[in-house]
Amino acid sequence: MTVTTENQNATAPGNDGANAARGGDGPTTGPENASGNGSGAGSTAATPSVPAGRAAAESTGARTTEAAGLINGARERIDALDDRIIGLIQERVAVSGVIQEARITSGGRRVNLSREMEILDHYRTALGRPGTALAMTLLELSRGRI
C-alpha cells in the first residue's frame, strides 16, 4: 500500500497510516524525506547508512546521542523498578490470601469492606485520584472481583 502525504510529494510503501495515528514508531513519510537530501530526518528505522549513535537517538525519540544515553539509562532503571513492583504485588497477593483463608476458616467473610476503604483512602491520600484506581486494581488482584 502507498500512503501519500499532505504535500503530495512523498510516498512510502508499506505504511498503512496507522503508524501516524499511534504516534509513529515505524517508517514515516513527510516533506523531510521527500527532499531527496538523504537526511532521513523523519525515519526511525536504522539503516546501514545511519551512524550507530544516531540510530540509538532515533530509537528513543531523542535528538542527540547524549539524550538517548540518558533515556536508555532511565528506561533501564524503570524496568528494574517495574520488576520490583511486580514482585511486591505478588507478595501482597500471597499475604492477602493468607488473611482471607484465616478469615474464612474462622467463620468470617472473605472481604472486609472497612479495611478496603482504609486502603483506598491511603492510596488516594498518597497519590491523588489515580491512587484510588491503583488501589482498586491491587484489591482486585488480591481478593478477586466482588
Side-chain angles (χ1 to χ4, degrees):
M1 171 186 287
T2 300
V3 176
T4 305
T5 61
E6 299 123 24
N7 69 2
Q8 301 296 313
N9 290 331
T11 60
N15 187 341
D16 63 3
N19 198 30
R22 65 176 183 269
D25 283 326
T28 61
T29 307
E32 65 275 4
N33 288 342
S35 64
N37 65 9
S39 71
S43 175
T44 58
T47 62
S49 64
V50 176
R54 183 167 169 195
E58 290 178 356
S59 72
T60 63
R63 301 239 181 210
T64 66
T65 54
E66 294 165 12
L70 179 75
I71 291 168
N72 282 330
R75 284 179 175 173
E76 288 175 9
R77 183 151 186 238
I78 285 174
D79 290 345
L81 289 168
D82 285 344
D83 289 342
R84 288 173 49 197
I85 291 167
I86 290 167
L88 290 170
I89 291 169
Q90 290 169 333
E91 184 178 348
R92 187 189 195 289
V93 167
V95 171
S96 179
V98 169
I99 292 168
Q100 287 179 54
E101 185 177 334
R103 192 180 298 124
I104 291 168
T105 57
S106 71
R109 296 179 152 200
R110 180 176 65 93
V111 176
N112 181 340
L113 294 178
S114 64
R115 173 65 179 149
E116 289 196 1
M117 293 305 291
E118 291 174 15
I119 293 166
L120 291 169
D121 185 55
H122 178 70
Y123 275 79
R124 182 177 44 254
T125 300
L127 301 172
R129 187 174 180 174
T132 304
L134 177 59
M136 289 295 293
T137 300
L138 288 172
L139 290 170
E140 183 176 337
L141 285 168
S142 297
R143 50 107 166 108
R145 290 182 174 254
I146 52 173

